[in-house]
């Protein structure tokens, strides 16, 4: 089922999420719905608070090449356990801040540990777009948006555009 995606500003997008204590069938259904919503949007990552669920879970799939099989991932209670000193800059966007992009500097590589839908602990080294995406989505779980890395003026301009978009959608 495709879920509605919250649009900034929304207080839920600025709220730190609660750790998941148990992998349940309900959580597995939410993960499936989040993946379907992300692919439909289309996006490469989606965090639970973006669909109004205040739990520490995210989904992502950064495979862009049509020849390469999709790699949907579900990360429960993810945490960055190591970062590279080297940084990279990506032009980031967000499904909760549609059609707005800005360059954000983050560590170029990260090691992340999380619980999978199988209830087991997983750890993986991410680089490139995958590293940027997983950090962006973990930020969502901590109530942080990519625009929080921008200057106050740029952040305010984007926030005003989103307020206008929300008013237009409410009228439609």
């Amino acid at each position: 089922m495709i879920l509605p995606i919250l649009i900034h500003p929304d207080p839920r997008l600025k709220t730190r999420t609660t750790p998941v204590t148990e992998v349940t069938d309900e959580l597995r259904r939410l993960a499936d719905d989040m993946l379907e919503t992300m692919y439909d949007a289309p996006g490469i990552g989606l965090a639970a608070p973006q669909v109004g669920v205040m739990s520490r879970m995210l989904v992502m799939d950064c495979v862009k090449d049509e020849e390469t099989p999709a790699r949907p991932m579900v990360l429960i209670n993810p945490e960055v356990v190591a970062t590279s000193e080297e940084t990279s800059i990506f032009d980031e966007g967000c499904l909760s801040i549609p059609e707005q992009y800005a360059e954000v500097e983050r560590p170029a590589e990260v090691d992340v540990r999380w619980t999978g839908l199988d209830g087991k602990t997983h750890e993986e080294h991410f680089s490139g777009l995958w590293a940027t995406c997983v950090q962006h989505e973990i930020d969502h779980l901590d109530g942080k948006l990519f625009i929080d890395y921008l200057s106050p003026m740029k952040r305010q301009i984007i926030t005003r555009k989103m307020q206008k978009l929300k008013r237009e959608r409410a009228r439609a």
Side-chain angles (χ1 to χ4, degrees), residues 34-70:
M34 285 175 59
L35 282 164
E36 186 178 348
T37 301
M38 177 193 78
Y39 287 127
D40 179 71
I44 59 169
L46 185 67
Q50 291 180 274
V51 293
V53 177
M54 303 314 294
S55 297
R56 293 191 75 76
M57 182 169 80
L58 65 88
V59 298
M60 64 180 198
D61 183 352
C62 298
V63 173
K64 291 198 162 213
D65 178 14
E66 309 239 337
E67 308 291 310
T68 308

Side-chain angles (χ1 to χ4, degrees), residues 89-94 99-105 146-147 149-150 154 158:
I89 297 175
F90 269 93
D91 203 27
E92 292 189 26
C94 180
E99 297 174 26
Q100 302 299 312
Y101 301 90
E103 289 187 343
V104 177
E105 184 175 8
F146 85 91
I147 59 171
Y149 291 91
L150 308 179
K154 283 183 180 172
I158 290 173

Side-chain angles (χ1 to χ4, degrees), residues 79-92:
E79 59 177 320
V80 174
V81 293
T83 61
S84 64
E85 285 186 26
E86 181 191 345
T87 60
S88 63
I89 297 175
F90 269 93
D91 203 27
E92 292 189 26

Side-chain angles (χ1 to χ4, degrees), residues 101-169:
Y101 301 90
E103 289 187 343
V104 177
E105 184 175 8
R106 299 181 184 271
E109 299 180 23
V110 290
D111 292 337
V112 179
R113 182 181 306 133
W114 71 92
T115 302
L117 288 175
D118 58 5
K120 295 187 171 101
T121 300
H122 300 265
E123 192 167 319
E124 189 167 329
H125 178 83
F126 295 103
S127 60
L129 182 59
W130 287 90
T132 296
C133 182
V134 75
Q135 291 173 84
H136 174 114
E137 299 308 329
I138 289 172
D139 275 354
H140 273 298
L141 303 180
D142 294 330
K144 190 169 186 177
L145 302 172
F146 85 91
I147 59 171
D148 294 333
Y149 291 91
L150 308 179
S151 72
M153 189 195 289
K154 283 183 180 172
R155 195 167 48 244
Q156 192 174 38
I157 289 167
I158 290 173
T159 299
R160 285 195 182 127
K161 286 179 182 178
M162 293 301 100
Q163 289 168 327
K164 182 179 177 203
L165 174 69
K166 285 172 88 167
R167 284 193 303 272
E168 288 168 359
R169 286 185 177 181

